[in-house]
Amino acid sequence: MNKLNVILLVGGKNTRLKNFNKQKFSVPKALQKINSNNLILHVIKNFTNNEFNNFILPIGHYKESFENFFKNKKKINGKKCSIFFDYKKYLKSINDAKNTINILLFNSGLNSNKAKRALMVINKLKLNEFAISYGDGVGDIKINDLYKKHIKSKCIASCAAVKPNSQYGHFIFKKKTNKTNIYTNDVIDFIEKPIIDDWVNIGYFFFKKKSINYFLKYYKDDLEMGIIKRIANNNKLLIQKHYGFWKSVDTQKDVKELSKILKNDKK
């Protein structure tokens, strides 16, 4: 069982997941129900299925919602869990050999971006290596395989990527000649929500000790455009291309779509 700490980025403002009537929205995205389980439990299950059991949730917004949700939890996805509000007790617990899910709720304040929240955890718990993931994506990612490649790699950070489907219908135009990429204005086909050619970031980040300097220097620019961008610019980022299932939740439409995809999930 892997003892690595996984920082799950939850507790944001929940700006995008609003209802269409603009009414007050009191449930954080990670606690949205996806069929019989909350979204965060689906996220955690993906990690525990890959032998990762230790999670840190840096919470700011919806602090009471997360505390109330987790405080009386005894099991998660059928597996025994321990919930902590004190990082020292959490650190002591994860050193035990027991196959238990450990979750630390870490107060990171209301005005911290993702990178700052992660850095606060890194500094307080004195982490040398760690994982960071989003709290709103579900998939069949082989996280353990990515971690093994990360350890063997000369790169200091790793993450997963997919080719997503477009949200839109795409027009296909006629080429002027078969030998060029110059197109006319003549439409010859229409494709609804095709797979995009570019690989996009879906998280599942792993970081080695040398990456911490990037957090210290670039946290103000946030995780993706600060830390990940700088590591990539220095050719120190390993990417694992994922060809299976993955779905993120940003809107109520996504909630419904993911619920439909996971309609056979168990309690």
Side-chain angles (χ1 to χ4, degrees), residues 16-248:
R16 285 181 288 184
L17 191 66
K18 301 289 184 181
N19 63 29
F20 298 110
N21 295 324
K22 296 183 179 180
Q23 296 173 353
K24 185 177 180 180
F25 201 79
S26 60
V27 180
K29 179 166 46 171
L31 299 185
Q32 278 282 299
K33 269 296 188 73
I34 306 295
N35 298 332
S36 61
N37 254 347
N38 303 81
L39 177 56
I40 188 65
L41 301 185
H42 288 284
V43 174
I44 289 173
K45 184 177 182 180
N46 195 187
F47 277 93
T48 57
N49 284 348
N50 282 268
E51 302 182 345
F52 294 89
N53 277 353
N54 302 318
F55 303 94
I56 303 168
L57 278 59
I59 52 177
H61 295 274
Y62 300 99
K63 179 174 177 289
E64 289 185 3
S65 296
F66 283 105
E67 289 177 346
N68 290 334
F69 177 78
F70 279 106
K71 67 181 180 181
N72 294 320
K73 286 283 183 188
K74 302 298 179 184
K75 286 188 176 182
I76 290 178
N77 300 320
K79 193 172 183 178
K80 184 180 177 183
C81 69
S82 297
I83 309 300
F84 299 91
F85 299 91
D86 185 313
Y87 77 94
K88 292 181 180 179
K89 292 180 179 178
Y90 166 82
L91 289 174
K92 183 178 180 181
S93 178
I94 66 175
N95 289 324
D96 294 340
K98 295 178 181 179
N99 186 18
T100 301
I101 297 173
N102 298 291
I103 296 178
L104 170 65
L105 298 181
F106 183 92
N107 185 7
S108 57
L110 297 176
N111 299 314
S112 302
N113 64 27
K114 295 187 294 295
K116 179 64 181 298
R117 281 182 273 162
L119 182 59
M120 291 171 70
V121 172
I122 294 163
N123 288 337
K124 180 64 73 172
L125 277 69
K126 295 181 172 57
L127 302 182
N128 288 321
E129 62 166 1
F130 48 92
I132 296 178
S133 195
Y134 303 122
D136 60 3
V138 179
D140 57 359
I141 319 295
K142 295 180 179 178
I143 306 173
N144 214 9
D145 287 352
L146 172 57
Y147 179 62
K148 290 175 182 178
K149 291 177 183 177
H150 167 76
I151 294 299
K152 294 178 181 179
S153 172
K154 293 181 181 179
C155 293
I156 64 173
S158 306
C159 72
V162 299
K163 282 188 174 183
N165 285 85
S166 171
Q167 298 181 52
Y168 309 101
H170 289 219
F171 295 109
I172 306 300
F173 294 91
K174 182 180 179 180
K175 285 185 177 182
K176 281 192 173 182
T177 69
N178 291 330
K179 295 182 179 180
T180 69
N181 286 324
I182 301 174
Y183 295 86
T184 69
N185 290 326
D186 298 325
V187 176
I188 59 174
D189 202 357
F190 177 80
I191 304 175
E192 179 66 9
K193 298 181 180 179
I195 294 176
I196 297 172
D197 286 338
D198 293 327
W199 291 91
V200 303
N201 164 45
I202 59 172
Y204 304 94
F205 301 104
F206 289 99
F207 294 96
K208 295 177 182 176
K209 185 176 181 179
K210 289 183 179 180
S211 68
I212 296 177
N213 286 332
Y214 288 82
F215 280 85
L216 294 170
K217 290 181 181 179
Y218 304 115
Y219 73 87
K220 291 182 180 179
D221 296 323
D222 215 347
L223 179 63
E224 297 85 359
M225 292 309 296
I227 295 153
I228 297 301
K229 182 178 177 67
R230 294 322 196 287
I231 292 175
N233 289 159
N234 289 326
N235 197 27
K236 294 181 179 180
L237 180 66
L238 172 70
I239 299 297
Q240 175 157 308
K241 296 176 179 178
H242 178 61
Y243 295 92
F245 160 68
W246 181 79
K247 172 72 176 173
S248 65

